[in-house]
Amino acid sequence: MADIILDNIKITVDSNETEYNEVCNHLYEYNVRATNGLLKKPGKDINLYLKDESGKVVGGLFCETWSYGLYIDVFWIADEFRNKGYGKIMMTEAERLGKEVGCIFAHTCTFSYQSPEFYKRMGYEIFAVNDEYPEDIKQFFLKKKL
């Protein structure tokens, strides 16, 4: 992409990690102000790891909390450890920890090739679907009261 110049201001794809972080930090600060600080509550990350007997990570569930919601951001379990109940245990624990710090609901998104059925079995309801992806891929947005 060629730079776009408007009134001595440039739009460009050129950047570095410091500039990226600066933009993200300014957005976060704006959002905290716009929500009168609600965005920061409870503000505790909940990260759970599934490890085998040797200590190797074979799964993880990473959540953020804001505005009294538990957001399930990353959830992965290695193929050989799936369908053994570990995911259910990890989700239940993340939800428990979320409630413990004050969360009143949980939410996430997942794709049709990932785990929408798992979340539905865990009591999550689909509240939106993005079906604009090619090859019949769908993105599901789910929520659950805690």
Side-chain angles (χ1 to χ4, degrees), residues 13-113:
V13 297
D14 296 330
S15 70
N16 58 47
E17 188 173 344
T18 300
E19 292 168 330
Y20 177 88
N21 289 334
E22 183 178 351
V23 170
C24 292
N25 290 337
H26 284 298
L27 176 61
Y28 177 76
E29 291 166 7
Y30 170 83
N31 290 341
V32 169
R33 284 191 317 273
T35 63
N36 294 315
L38 182 64
L39 185 74
K40 295 175 84 169
K41 297 178 182 178
K44 172 148 178 49
D45 291 345
I46 297 170
N47 298 326
L48 303 175
Y49 296 86
L50 183 62
K51 296 183 178 184
D52 69 11
E53 62 279 351
S54 72
K56 178 183 172 193
V57 173
V58 295
L61 174 56
F62 305 156
C63 306
E64 299 172 357
T65 64
W66 71 81
S67 302
Y68 295 105
L70 174 73
Y71 180 67
I72 301 154
D73 188 24
V74 173
F75 191 15
W76 168 80
I77 296 177
D79 290 344
E80 61 269 27
F81 294 93
R82 292 182 183 193
N83 299 309
K84 298 181 185 291
Y86 301 123
K88 181 179 180 179
I89 293 167
M90 292 175 78
M91 282 290 294
T92 301
E93 180 62 6
E95 291 170 355
R96 185 190 70 75
L97 292 169
K99 279 180 77 169
E100 192 174 276
V101 297
C103 293
I104 57 175
F105 69 98
H107 60 117
T108 192
C109 69
T110 191
F111 288 90
S112 51
Y113 56 84

Side-chain angles (χ1 to χ4, degrees), residues 118-131:
F118 169 80
Y119 286 105
K120 288 197 279 187
R121 286 192 306 273
M122 292 297 300
Y124 286 73
E125 66 178 79
I126 296 170
F127 66 89
V129 178
N130 179 354
D131 59 2

Side-chain angles (χ1 to χ4, degrees), residues 129-134 136-139:
V129 178
N130 179 354
D131 59 2
E132 297 296 325
Y133 294 97
D136 202 33
I137 293 172
K138 292 179 177 57
Q139 183 179 23

